[in-house]
Amino acid sequence: MRAAVYRSTGPAAEVLEVVELELPEPGPGEVRVRIVTSGINPTDWKRRAGLTGRTPDGFQVPHHDGAGVVDAVGSGVDGLVVGQRVWLYLAAFGNRYGTAAEYAVVPAVRAVPLPDGASDELGACLGVPALTAAHCLGGNPGALQGRTVLVAGGAGAVGHYAIELAKHAGATVVATVSSDEKRALAEDAGADLVVRYPDQDVSRQIRDVVQHVDRIVEVAPATNLELDLAVLRDGGTIATYAAEGDLVLPSGKLMTANVTLAFVLLYGVSSDQLADAVRWTSDALAVGALSALPVIPYALERVADAQDRVEQAAVGKVVLSVAAR
């Protein structure tokens, strides 16, 4: 099979190459998936660049997310059959076969049925962003009915799915963005109110429309904490999934308001919590509540350029189109 691999960490153009690998066989509890699309996340280029402190064991096929068709099933696998369309998540976590290849072998739990009405591009957009969003929202859609959620960075991948999942759960959603272009993306995702960061009196604009916010999905806690505390209700939660330098906490304000500050990294989420996030995402997907981000397509052979595009903070989702011969 053709596969993108890297054997050492470093710049994309220096360490990534497309090679021929022997077709892997699924072991017990695993499935092999013929990959159609491979979605790229910031965590993918950061790991390849060596920012996570991990080095490949021999070689690594990158990328956690993607969509394809089950090609072979290992022993002990229930619920998946050959020929079934699936979307993948965390494919390269503890596994050398990520989705930047014609085939990937993954634990069966990381392959989730993809409905007939959902495109392969949508399948490649899910994974890390949608599951992170679901976990930041508390993992339980029933708890959001009638609540108000603030999504910081509503045009990003996690922000996009935080808006859609929260709306699917019956919440009112406020989103913040940095530009009019991104405002349109957040509105398309279904946000009830979208406010630009550069505008004046952002907290007043929010409070003029909603009395308070119950939960915040935060992309830039150090930058936005003052705004968050200005609109969050007492006893509310700020769930942040991104780190941006040192965060200085006003402990008195946080304690007085009984604020819960949660830090989310999908790799460390428990299996039960991850299952909750997968279930919520799948339920929303089944009723057409989730949509693809604007897709920026690349061929497998241009994987280095594609990862660089993600590193440059492209607006939308960079996706490899992978076609098995």
Side-chain angles (χ1 to χ4, degrees):
M1 68 175 184
R2 289 183 306 147
V5 302
Y6 60 96
R7 295 178 170 84
S8 61
T9 57
E14 295 180 14
V15 301
L16 279 170
E17 58 180 338
V18 177
V19 301
E20 293 283 343
L21 292 179
E22 183 177 349
L23 190 65
E25 296 294 333
E30 296 179 333
V31 294
R32 186 173 67 206
V33 177
R34 176 174 58 81
I35 302 298
V36 178
T37 52
S38 172
I40 308 177
N41 299 296
T43 189
D44 297 316
W45 73 258
K46 290 177 182 178
R47 182 179 179 188
R48 180 266 307 153
L51 301 183
T52 65
R54 299 183 182 90
T55 56
D57 178 15
F59 69 85
Q60 178 66 51
V61 178
H63 304 171
H64 287 310
D65 299 343
V69 178
V70 175
D71 174 71
V73 178
S75 62
V77 173
D78 294 321
L80 293 173
V81 297
V82 171
Q84 187 169 12
R85 297 177 69 232
V86 293
W87 58 276
L88 305 179
Y89 68 91
L90 295 183
F93 180 49
N95 177 34
R96 65 173 48 185
Y97 294 108
T99 64
E102 292 179 328
Y103 295 88
V105 167
V106 299
V109 70
R110 299 182 194 172
V112 187
L114 185 64
D116 290 339
S119 68
D120 294 314
E121 288 74 19
L122 173 53
C125 289
L126 299 172
V128 169
L131 299 184
T132 297
H135 188 65
C136 284
L137 289 168
N140 177 13
L144 286 185
Q145 176 71 41
R147 301 289 187 174
T148 299
V149 173
L150 170 61
V151 178
V158 175
H160 176 86
Y161 289 113
I163 293 170
E164 293 192 331
L165 288 168
K167 290 299 296 180
H168 171 253
T172 296
V173 180
V174 178
T176 53
V177 297
S178 61
S179 67
D180 287 334
E181 176 192 13
K182 293 181 178 180
R183 179 202 295 271
L185 293 175
E187 288 174 343
D188 288 346
D192 299 284
L193 171 68
V194 183
V195 181
R196 297 189 332 136
Y197 288 120
D199 292 346
Q200 297 295 317
D201 299 322
V202 174
S203 62
R204 180 186 58 76
Q205 290 187 58
I206 295 173
R207 295 296 292 268
D208 282 348
V209 177
V210 298
Q211 183 177 0
H212 59 246
V213 169
D214 299 288
R215 177 177 286 267
I216 298 173
V217 179
E218 183 57 75
V219 66
T223 300
N224 296 331
L225 188 58
E226 182 177 353
L227 168 62
D228 293 345
L229 294 179
V231 300
L232 187 68
R233 70 166 173 83
D234 287 356
T237 296
I238 304 170
T240 180
Y241 60 91
E244 47 146 7
D246 294 332
L247 176 61
V248 178
L249 298 179
S251 55
K253 289 184 178 180
L254 293 167
M255 183 174 293
T256 300
N258 283 291
V259 171
T260 297
L261 185 58
F263 294 90
V264 175
L265 184 63
L266 205 59
Y267 304 119
V269 170
S270 73
S271 58
D272 287 344
Q273 291 171 323
L274 198 54
D276 288 339
V278 170
R279 187 178 304 109
W280 186 353
T281 301
S282 294
D283 289 347
L285 187 61
V287 297
L290 303 184
S291 65
L293 292 140
V295 169
I296 306 169
Y298 282 81
L300 177 62
E301 286 73 17
R302 295 188 62 199
V303 61
D305 293 335
Q307 284 206 4
D308 284 343
R309 187 73 177 272
V310 177
E311 185 174 354
Q312 294 158 8
V315 177
K317 186 70 172 184
V318 178
V319 173
L320 295 183
S321 298
V322 185
R325 294 160 297 177

